[in-house]
């Protein structure tokens, strides 16, 4: 799932955000304020200005936002059905797309909840968070290797795991209860429940709220790993995580402990075919890159996909990916394909 393009300068809870309801304004009041809805629309509209449904909504924007605000304020808001389609990214994924009206509401809720929950997340959770992302996670992996291996003086092992069908298997009631721990505004919980329960089971890939809800859910795993198991070198990106140690047996013993926690606390399981313990110097395939002791390269599938898809329009985007690894050979091939210097 792509990470959110979030305007951090406007997202924090401030007394100046929205209409002037005073210092005692509720969190729900902030969410449904005209200013928050307006900013949420602007954030949602980025990159979608030519979409037919977006153009139609914008043609009567003021009335549409006023109607959303009235529905939320009177608790008459109901979430519409989703439109489903598939994308290959690179594996086939089912995306569930909400209508424009609902996606504006998602953004409005996300803008206020993000700051409440993000401060509670561990440092080494990198998915869909401001100033995080895949490249920082890969650099952190390399930093952890240097520390644990004493600059490659010791053999370092890496445990790599994946949560099986994560979004499909999120328990909605557990998620709502986790949100209730930090959000006491009953009106906000009402809206959270409307959005979560709008999808039959699990969470939909496609909602901006799903990005935050996924981190809230797996923060329980993060806290267990860091504070109960006291694991030092742990990195998670969405439902993929790695743990580093010079002790292979230690990593093997962790698998059952983590699997039991996931099952008992979150009703999740590790993907049995994606549990791997490997020496770091053999190359660690993580987040599109394969990391070695002194360098990283692109995953073969990622490299081949870039060579198939690259053109003049997408060139700068792909060069941005390539600058984070050893990529001289693929750059040379791209230059030959596109006849660029």
């Amino acid at each position: 799932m792509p990470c959110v393009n979030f305007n951090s300068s406007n997202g924090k809870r401030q007394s100046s955000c929205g209409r002037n309801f005073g210092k005692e304004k509720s969190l729900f009041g902030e969410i449904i304020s005209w200013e928050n809805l307006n900013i949420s629309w602007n954030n949602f509209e980025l990159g979608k200005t030519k979409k037919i449904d977006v153009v139609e909504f914008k043609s009567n924007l003021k009335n549409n936002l006023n109607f959303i605000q009235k529905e939320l304020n009177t608790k008459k808001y109901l979430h519409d059905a989703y439109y489903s389609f598939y994308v290959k990214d690179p594996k086939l994924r089912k995306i569930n797309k909400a209508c424009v009206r609902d996606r504006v509401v998602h953004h409005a809720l996300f803008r206020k909840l993000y700051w409440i929950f993000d401060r509670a997340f561990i440092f080494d959770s990198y998915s869909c968070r401001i100033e995080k992302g895949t490249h920082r996670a890969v650099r952190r992996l390399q930093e952890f290797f240097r520390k644990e291996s004493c600059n490659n003086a010791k053999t370092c092992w890496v445990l790599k795991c994946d949560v099986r069908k994560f979004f499909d298997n999120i328990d909605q009631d557990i998620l709502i209860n986790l949100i209730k721990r930090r959000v006491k505004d009953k009106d906000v919980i009402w809206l959270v429940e409307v959005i979560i329960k709008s999808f039959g089971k699990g969470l939909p890939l496609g909602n901006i709220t799903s990005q935050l809800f996924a981190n809230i859910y797996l923060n329980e795993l993060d806290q267990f790993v860091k504070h109960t198991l006291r694991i030092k070198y742990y990195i998670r990106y969405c439902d993929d995580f790695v743990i580093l140690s010079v002790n292979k047996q230690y990593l093997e013993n962790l698998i059952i402990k983590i699997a039991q926690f996931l099952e008992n606390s979150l009703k999740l399981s590790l993907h049995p075919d994606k549990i791997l313990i490997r020496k770091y110097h053999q190359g660690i395939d993580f987040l599109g890159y394969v990391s070695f002791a002194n360098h990283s390269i692109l995953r073969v599938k990622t490299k081949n996909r870039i060579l198939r898809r690259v053109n003049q329009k997408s060139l700068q985007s792909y060069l941005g990916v390539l600058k984070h690894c050893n990529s001289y050979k693929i750059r040379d091939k791209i230059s030959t394909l596109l006849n660029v210097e």
Side-chain angles (χ1 to χ4, degrees):
M1 177 186 294
C3 290
V4 60
N5 181 9
F6 187 71
N7 187 341
S8 61
S9 63
N10 292 321
K12 293 182 180 179
R13 293 182 64 184
Q14 297 173 341
S15 60
S16 61
C17 184
R19 291 174 179 170
N20 184 16
F21 290 101
K23 294 182 179 179
E24 298 304 318
K25 183 179 175 185
S26 69
L27 176 59
F28 188 70
E30 292 182 20
I31 290 169
I32 70 172
S33 70
W34 175 258
E35 184 165 349
N36 188 48
L37 291 174
N38 214 14
I39 293 172
S40 298
W41 160 257
N42 291 333
N43 288 345
F44 161 74
E45 188 192 21
L46 289 173
K48 307 181 189 73
T49 55
K50 295 182 181 180
K51 301 285 186 181
I52 295 175
D53 52 351
V54 176
V55 172
E56 290 178 351
F57 191 92
K58 189 174 183 179
S59 67
N60 195 21
L61 181 62
K62 186 175 181 180
N63 285 338
N64 284 331
L65 293 183
N66 273 327
F67 187 70
I68 288 174
Q69 187 181 52
K70 182 178 180 181
E71 279 193 315
L72 291 171
N73 193 41
T74 59
K75 306 295 187 303
K76 293 182 179 179
Y77 169 74
L78 296 174
H79 199 288
D80 286 337
Y82 291 87
Y83 165 70
S84 299
F85 59 95
Y86 289 88
V87 298
K88 199 169 183 180
D89 182 35
K91 64 182 179 181
L92 200 63
R93 296 180 185 274
K94 185 178 182 180
I95 304 298
N96 295 280
K97 179 181 175 183
C99 70
V100 172
R101 160 183 163 272
D102 291 328
R103 283 183 282 168
V104 173
V105 175
H106 299 167
H107 274 264
L109 179 66
F110 176 90
R111 291 191 71 253
K112 297 302 177 178
L113 290 192
Y114 178 91
W115 299 104
I116 293 173
F117 286 95
D118 188 75
R119 65 181 67 131
F121 296 156
I122 67 168
F123 182 86
D124 288 310
S125 163
Y126 286 87
S127 175
C128 302
R129 297 179 65 196
I130 295 169
E131 298 183 352
K132 297 291 183 177
T134 58
H135 300 136
R136 290 177 187 245
V138 171
R139 288 199 296 272
R140 186 68 160 169
L141 174 63
Q142 294 167 334
E143 176 188 338
F144 280 175
F145 162 72
R146 288 191 293 270
K147 289 180 177 179
E148 180 66 354
S149 70
C150 297
N151 288 322
N152 208 14
K154 300 178 181 179
T155 299
C156 182
W157 297 85
V158 180
L159 168 63
K160 186 170 178 282
C161 298
D162 180 293
V163 177
R164 185 175 181 274
K165 295 184 178 179
F166 171 56
F167 280 91
D168 291 339
N169 290 320
I170 287 175
D171 185 286
Q172 294 180 349
D173 292 327
I174 292 176
L175 173 60
I176 291 168
N177 285 330
L178 291 175
I179 294 171
K180 285 180 178 179
R181 289 182 187 175
R182 299 188 70 86
V183 176
K184 303 303 180 184
D185 189 320
K186 292 181 180 179
D187 293 330
V188 177
I189 295 301
W190 163 79
L191 180 56
V192 165
E193 290 182 339
V194 168
I195 292 174
I196 291 175
K197 296 293 185 179
S198 69
F199 197 66
K201 181 178 181 290
L203 290 179
L205 283 172
N207 285 4
I208 188 174
T209 48
S210 293
Q211 301 174 6
L212 176 61
F213 293 159
N215 274 334
I216 292 171
Y217 206 77
L218 282 184
N219 181 56
E220 297 302 297
L221 171 64
D222 298 341
Q223 300 299 330
F224 173 73
V225 165
K226 298 299 291 184
H227 300 297
T228 302
L229 299 181
R230 298 186 177 277
I231 295 171
K232 189 173 183 180
Y233 299 120
Y234 164 85
I235 297 169
R236 182 179 62 80
Y237 188 96
C238 195
D239 57 345
D240 294 329
F241 62 89
V242 292
I243 301 171
L244 290 76
S245 176
V246 293
N247 188 332
K248 183 182 180 183
Q249 186 63 52
Y250 168 72
L251 294 179
E252 291 174 347
N253 293 340
L254 288 177
I255 296 171
I256 186 65
K257 295 178 182 178
I258 291 172
Q260 287 176 343
F261 175 83
L262 287 172
E263 182 178 355
N264 295 337
S265 298
L266 299 174
K267 297 184 180 179
L268 297 173
S269 61
L270 294 176
H271 196 303
D273 299 328
K274 296 183 179 179
I275 299 173
L276 175 70
I277 296 180
R278 185 179 177 91
K279 293 178 181 178
Y280 193 99
H281 75 258
Q282 292 176 301
I284 303 303
D285 188 337
F286 186 54
L287 305 180
Y289 297 92
V290 180
S291 296
F292 295 90
N294 299 310
H295 69 286
S296 62
I297 60 175
L298 272 183
R299 179 188 293 161
V300 173
K301 289 183 179 179
T302 305
K303 179 180 70 173
N304 292 338
R305 187 168 68 252
I306 289 176
L307 290 173
R308 286 197 310 269
R309 296 181 179 179
V310 67
N311 54 41
Q312 293 291 349
K313 186 176 180 180
S314 63
L315 176 61
Q316 291 305 314
S317 175
Y318 284 130
L319 290 178
V321 173
L322 295 172
K323 73 179 182 180
H324 295 280
C325 64
N326 289 27
S327 56
Y328 173 79
K329 290 183 179 180
I330 186 174
R331 286 170 182 265
D332 190 50
K333 288 182 179 180
I334 289 173
S335 297
T336 301
L337 283 171
L338 302 182
N339 293 316
V340 296
E341 295 296 329

